[in-house]
Amino acid sequence: MFESNPTGFESFSTDVITFEQAAGEHGLENLIFAIDPSAFDRQNSADVVGTVGGTAAEYLVPESALGYLAVGLDYGLLTPSGLDFVLTPLIDALFGNA
């Protein structure tokens, strides 16, 4: 993407980093990860301060269709609509992530 659209790449990269660093925007990811941990892989990066615990601040990377669905719904539906502020604390409380 960088070669074909450098400006779009920078904008997308910034949006992804901002999303990954916001702990309150991952309600469905946390729910699916609690039910099926194999739907995600834990990853860390020097550029991203993740929201998943561990020895280093990690973030979840989807590894299956279920993981991609959770990330897509969190990023594309819940965050822009503001529903993440309602659902994420509830999901975290139910699964002990709070």
Side-chain angles (χ1 to χ4, degrees):
M1 182 175 175
F2 178 74
E3 291 177 8
S4 64
N5 185 357
T7 305
F9 172 78
E10 287 299 322
S11 175
F12 178 70
S13 179
T14 301
D15 289 346
V16 168
I17 290 171
T18 302
F19 174 72
E20 286 301 335
Q21 294 181 151
E25 297 184 358
H26 301 279
L28 292 177
E29 285 181 59
N30 294 341
L31 175 65
I32 299 302
F33 185 65
I35 295 169
D36 181 14
S38 68
F40 295 95
D41 185 31
R42 290 178 168 211
Q43 191 171 33
N44 58 16
S45 171
D47 297 339
V48 180
V49 177
T51 60
V52 179
T55 57
E58 300 171 324
Y59 56 95
L60 298 176
V61 177
E63 289 287 321
S64 71
L66 191 57
Y68 279 104
L69 177 64
V71 172
L73 288 174
D74 276 340
Y75 182 77
L77 178 65
L78 295 183
T79 297
S81 68
L83 290 173
D84 56 325
F85 292 109
V86 176
L87 294 177
T88 299
L90 178 63
I91 291 169
D92 288 346
L94 289 172
F95 286 94
N97 297 330

